[in-house]
Amino acid sequence: MEKIISYLKEKYRLSSMIVSGDYAEGNIRSESVFEAIAMGATSPYAHECSEIDGVKLDVLIYPREIFYGEIALDDFEQAHEGLVVLDEDGMGSWLKRMIAQQIASIPLKSDEAVLDALHWCESMAERAGTEDAEGLFCRHWLLTDSVEVYSDVCGLPFLSPKKTMSKMAKADPEAVEIHLRAMGSMDHGALLAWVELLKERFQARKKSE
């Protein structure tokens, strides 16, 4: 990783870098991509997608000045659980704090709103029981939008489907298994099992409160 950091620092005149994904988690595999957000006082806007020693890069580079205004959470949420590997000007640590504050301020859904979402999931699952075009559409719609519902039933702020699935894989592998089974097959029973799990997770959270 040090060789990659040195290469990027010199090429783009970087002063701060936050690594995310496998390299931040220490779960580096042969297929792992080096993902990062980086910045510097004189850095250009750039997206580095080259390869170094067999490691693919996916690094977004920004001029430091863009962070002096309002920060869009959707653009930088990966910094929240990222690893600061370069921080000569303190901007990496500062960005992590700002993103953490934004995430902490996201309002959670009310119980009424969560129950409405669960009823919608049940309705969509029932409509997805047919094998016509409408049924297939409802199936994919449900499996996509219910990732956010999973965050809601667990009392967590929703960031993105990728982040939610990543957290789910660590904290709730059963949920990942059931969701992927429903996503990867046309088995209506698997779809119903996913909706049932959402209801169970909501009930479990309410009991623990």
Side-chain angles (χ1 to χ4, degrees), residues 153-183:
V153 300
C154 293
L156 301 171
F158 177 71
L159 301 179
S160 68
K162 182 179 178 180
K163 279 288 185 183
T164 301
M165 293 299 293
S166 178
K167 286 181 175 293
M168 195 191 303
K170 297 174 185 175
D172 195 354
E174 179 189 10
V176 172
E177 180 183 354
I178 292 175
H179 183 269
L180 292 180
R181 188 186 307 142
M183 183 72 78

Side-chain angles (χ1 to χ4, degrees), residues 24 26 30 36 41 44-45 59 61 145 167 199 205 209:
S30 60
Y45 284 101
V59 182
I61 295 99
D145 284 19
K167 286 181 175 293
K199 294 160 58 179
R205 177 171 68 84
E209 292 177 349

Side-chain angles (χ1 to χ4, degrees), residues 10 44 64 125 166:
E10 180 178 353
R64 190 176 62 191
S166 178

Side-chain angles (χ1 to χ4, degrees), residues 128-157:
T130 61
E131 296 184 4
D132 56 12
E134 181 181 0
L136 291 174
F137 177 80
C138 290
R139 177 185 184 83
H140 289 287
W141 186 3
L142 169 59
L143 286 170
T144 300
D145 284 19
S146 61
V147 175
E148 180 174 355
V149 177
Y150 176 86
S151 289
D152 296 337
V153 300
C154 293
L156 301 171

